[in-house]
Amino acid sequence: MTLLRRPRPVRLGLALALSAGLLGSCGVSSDESVPWCEPDGRLAIMAQSVPTAAYVPCVAELPTGWSFDELAVDDDGARFTLESDRADRAVQVQLTSRCDVGEATPISPSDEGVRTYHFVTSIQPRYAGRLLDVFPGGCVVTRYDFERGPHVALVTELQAAIGLFTRLELRHALEADLGVRLDP
């Protein structure tokens, strides 16, 4: 689902230029609406939702048993959900302009120029928490809540499934391939 609330003129222009045929119908998810880690209209619209963000979250791969559910974009950020056939709750991935890492534990960074943190909110009876990727101008928060047992494999697969695409690379590719300028 794509939502454009209070669009700014530049964002609306880019959204109109890129949305025709690039996003699935609102409320419908399909393989065509997956924000893969490649420069296209879905990533551009997500990038415009947080114009300060140096990175945009994307789907690097869908491990066996995982599926993409929904993409929503508005002027407050972008969100997508992933589901696993071994989990009873969906995972939400959200791009925002900032986040509070609080007492989260630093872990190996997801990408160059990114600080990555893990905050576990529960270990019993469920394993729940957040992965936070913090970078200039933005943050990606991945929220999960898994049953104990398959949780270790699910968190590992989740980390492999979600990638970060640089805004700079996206900007250059859109201009070269489509003649569209991503702001800023």
Side-chain angles (χ1 to χ4, degrees):
M1 172 172 23
T2 304
L3 305 171
L4 295 173
R5 294 183 304 156
R6 297 174 280 112
R8 295 178 183 95
V10 173
R11 288 188 189 181
L12 181 58
L14 178 67
L16 292 174
L18 295 172
S19 64
L22 294 176
L23 293 172
S25 302
C26 288
V28 176
S29 64
S30 70
D31 192 51
E32 292 177 4
S33 60
V34 176
W36 296 110
C37 292
E38 54 192 44
D40 66 10
R42 285 172 292 286
L43 288 191
I45 291 171
M46 290 174 65
Q48 289 300 90
S49 73
V50 182
T52 58
Y55 290 87
V56 179
C58 54
V59 177
E61 65 177 76
L62 280 175
T64 302
W66 285 83
S67 61
F68 173 81
D69 185 38
E70 180 179 52
L71 170 65
V73 180
D74 58 36
D75 281 349
D76 295 325
R79 295 163 298 290
F80 61 86
T81 55
L82 300 174
E83 295 182 347
S84 170
D85 60 2
R86 291 168 287 138
D88 59 344
R89 296 185 185 166
V91 171
Q92 184 181 70
V93 180
Q94 182 175 18
L95 172 65
T96 63
S97 60
R98 58 188 158 79
C99 64
D100 179 14
V101 297
E103 296 181 21
T105 303
I107 60 174
S108 295
S110 297
D111 209 323
E112 188 176 322
V114 176
R115 293 182 326 270
T116 303
Y117 301 87
H118 191 191
F119 185 73
V120 178
T121 57
S122 170
I123 57 172
Q124 215 42 289
R126 299 180 63 84
Y127 189 75
R130 296 185 301 273
L131 294 165
L132 301 105
D133 289 309
V134 182
F135 41 81
C139 177
V140 173
V141 180
T142 303
R143 291 177 177 82
Y144 64 86
D145 184 350
F146 299 131
E147 291 181 73
R148 297 279 304 174
H151 70 281
V152 173
L154 289 170
V155 170
T156 301
E157 290 172 4
L158 180 60
Q159 287 177 296
I162 299 168
L164 296 173
F165 203 90
T166 70
R167 182 181 202 87
L168 183 61
E169 185 180 344
L170 180 59
R171 181 183 306 130
H172 291 308
L174 290 173
E175 199 163 328
D177 296 344
L178 300 174
V180 174
R181 179 162 165 70
L182 181 66
D183 291 327

